[in-house]
Amino acid sequence: MQRIYYHSEESGRLLKNIRGHLPPRSLYTDLPRKFCFVPTPETPEFLLRESGVGKAIRRREGLSFFQLT
């Protein structure tokens, strides 16, 4: 494994279709920092290949993830 991705708050809401009550913000601020993930505008390739998910991701500009290399 060369790269591990972690979703940001916005990309997590989109991928998990979360509406209403959101998970704690620390999941997207403190946790990635503690495990040395860095923000990246790069979207994981396997997500872009999924038909419904890939379309939703491509429609959203500025969507980000965290990456560990």
Side-chain angles (χ1 to χ4, degrees):
M1 241 191 266
Q2 293 180 353
R3 292 185 203 135
I4 299 172
Y5 289 94
Y6 186 77
H7 53 78
S8 66
E9 185 175 8
E10 185 179 354
S11 59
R13 273 189 268 142
L14 175 69
L15 294 172
K16 298 175 185 179
N17 199 21
I18 297 175
R19 300 191 194 313
H21 297 288
L22 300 175
R25 188 156 177 79
S26 63
L27 286 176
Y28 309 107
T29 55
D30 300 342
L31 194 61
R33 188 173 41 247
K34 286 180 182 177
F35 287 96
C36 302
F37 281 81
V38 293
T40 181
E42 185 179 323
T43 301
E45 187 65 34
F46 71 91
L47 288 177
L48 293 174
R49 287 190 298 243
E50 291 293 319
S51 61
V53 175
K55 279 184 185 179
I57 289 173
R58 283 189 286 274
R59 283 187 215 145
R60 286 292 225 1
E61 285 195 30
L63 202 60
S64 64
F65 291 83
F66 294 100
Q67 181 181 38
L68 179 66
T69 53

